[in-house]
Amino acid sequence: MRKLGIVALGAAAALTLAGCATSGGTGASEDGAEIRVWLVGTDTPDEAREYLVDTFEKENPGSTLVIEEQAWDGLVDRLTTSLSGSDSPDVVEVGNTQAAAFTSAGAFLDLTDEYENLGGDDLLPGFVEAGSYDGKFYAAPLYSGSRLVFYKKDALAAAGLTVPTTLDEYISNAQALAAANPGKSGIWWPGQDWYNALPYIWENGGEIAVADGEEWDAQLSSEESLAGLAQVQEVMTTASSAPKDGNETSPEVGFCDGTSLQLSAPSWVKWSILAPADAEAPGCPDQEENLGVYALPGMDGGAAQVFAGGSNIGISAKSAHPELALSALEIILSDEFQTIYGENGLVPAKLSLADTLGTDEVAKAITAAAGNAKLTPASPNWADVEASGILTDLFVNIAQGGDIKALAEAADEEIEAILNS
C-alpha cells in the first residue's frame, strides 16, 4: 500500500501522540488472563460468539475470553480513546473503511510474521490491503458483504413489474411501486444512508475522491458524480417514505411491517428479516416465500459497483496479553468460525470458504455483487471523514430537496480539508 507523504491528524494523530505507534504488548503473565474482544454490532452470529469463547477457554485453560459488543455509531472516537489508553481491549473489530486510520497510527500489533499462519493468500485480498500499511500487515479480514436488493415478490407482481436489469429500470420500478402503494417505500432509503448512494456515483463514472500525487482531490461535484447524485435525489424524494434524516439501522422492520416493498442492504439482512418475531428481533419468518433478492443492476446491465461492506480485525498494540490475543485471532480466522459466517450470509474472510454461502438466491446475488464491489478512498484520514458526518449531512440535505451542486461543492471542500490535513 502506498504511504502518503502527509501528516495524518484526527483519529490517527491522536493515537500516534498517545504512544500507540511505539507501544507493544506489555509481556504480562499469560496465566489466568482475561482477553477482551470488541465486536461491533450484531452481525456476528451467537453461534460464532459461543464457538470463540468455548474454543479459546478450552485451548487456554485458566484464561477467559469476554466479548464486548460495540455500536457502530461513534466507534472511531471510542477506538481512538480505548486503543491509546491503559485499559485497551485486546482484539478489536473495525470497519474496513476505518482500518487505515488505526494501522497508519500503529494502534495494532504488526502481524506480518503471522500472515501465513492466519490464512495468507487465502484471505480476502481487498481487506488485506485495507488492513495493511507501509508494507506491513496489521488487521486481518473478518467478514465481507456486498449490498443486495431485497423485495416483496407479491408487491412486484401486483404492480406488473419484473426484476430490473439496469439502474434506470431499478429507479422506475421503485417509483411505480411507491405510486401503486401510497405511503409505502418503493425503495426504503433514509437520508443518512450514504453507502447506498455510492453505486449511483460510481455507475455514472464519478468518484468520492481520487489521489493526485500526495494530495487528494474530492470529486463529488464533478459532472459524473452530480449525475449520480441527481438520481439519488430522485429516488429519495419520489420512491422512499423513510425519514429524510433517518439512519439505515434495522431495515428489516419496514419490510416486516409492510411499509418497505424494496430495500438495499448488506447480504446478512436476510437473517434479520427471517429472525423470530420477538421484541429483540422483530423479524418475519412467515415472509420467507415472499422474500426476493437480486444484485443491484448497473447502468448498462450486469451488477452495479456497490460498496464492499465488512470488517477487519486486529490486536491492540497495547494488549497486555498479545500471545493470548493472537490465540483468539487464530480461532476467529479458523475454518470452523468463518464457516458460521458463511452459513449466515456473510462472506467469510477466506476465499476457500466461499461455498459456505450456499447456492440459494442470496448466495448467487452475493457472488454477482462481490465481483464489482468497491471500497472508499484508501486514505489514513478516511475514518475522520466518516466520523465528521460530512456524508450523512450531505445526503440528508439531498433527501430534503437541497441544491445538489452547491451541497456537493461544499462537501468536496470539507473532504479535501480532512484528507489533506
Side-chain angles (χ1 to χ4, degrees), residues 96-97 145-147 195 198-199 202 305-310 373-376:
N96 62 328
T97 65
S146 299
R147 278 165 166 70
Y195 298 105
L198 299 182
W202 290 332
Q305 300 170 89
V306 294
F307 171 67
K374 291 184 63 170
L375 298 176
T376 49

Side-chain angles (χ1 to χ4, degrees), residues 37 200 292 294 394:
V37 177
Y200 295 79
Y294 58 89
L394 169 64

Side-chain angles (χ1 to χ4, degrees), residues 72 94-100 126-127 130-131 143-144 307-312 374-376 386:
W72 284 110
V94 61
N96 62 328
T97 65
Q98 303 164 342
F127 284 71
Y143 63 83
S144 176
F307 171 67
S311 294
N312 284 70
K374 291 184 63 170
L375 298 176
T376 49
E386 289 192 21

Side-chain angles (χ1 to χ4, degrees), residues 45 47-48 51 142-143 331-350 352-358:
E47 181 185 354
Y51 179 84
L142 180 57
Y143 63 83
I331 296 167
I332 290 169
L333 290 171
S334 69
D335 287 359
E336 293 79 7
F337 183 96
Q338 288 292 320
T339 292
I340 300 172
Y341 273 149
E343 292 174 345
N344 283 273
L346 289 84
V347 178
K350 294 180 175 180
S352 61
L353 298 178
D355 60 357
T356 62
L357 290 163

Side-chain angles (χ1 to χ4, degrees), residues 11-23 80-86 105 318:
L15 286 160
T16 302
L17 293 174
C20 279
T22 56
S23 289
T80 300
T81 300
S82 299
L83 292 177
S84 62
S86 59
K318 292 208 169 208

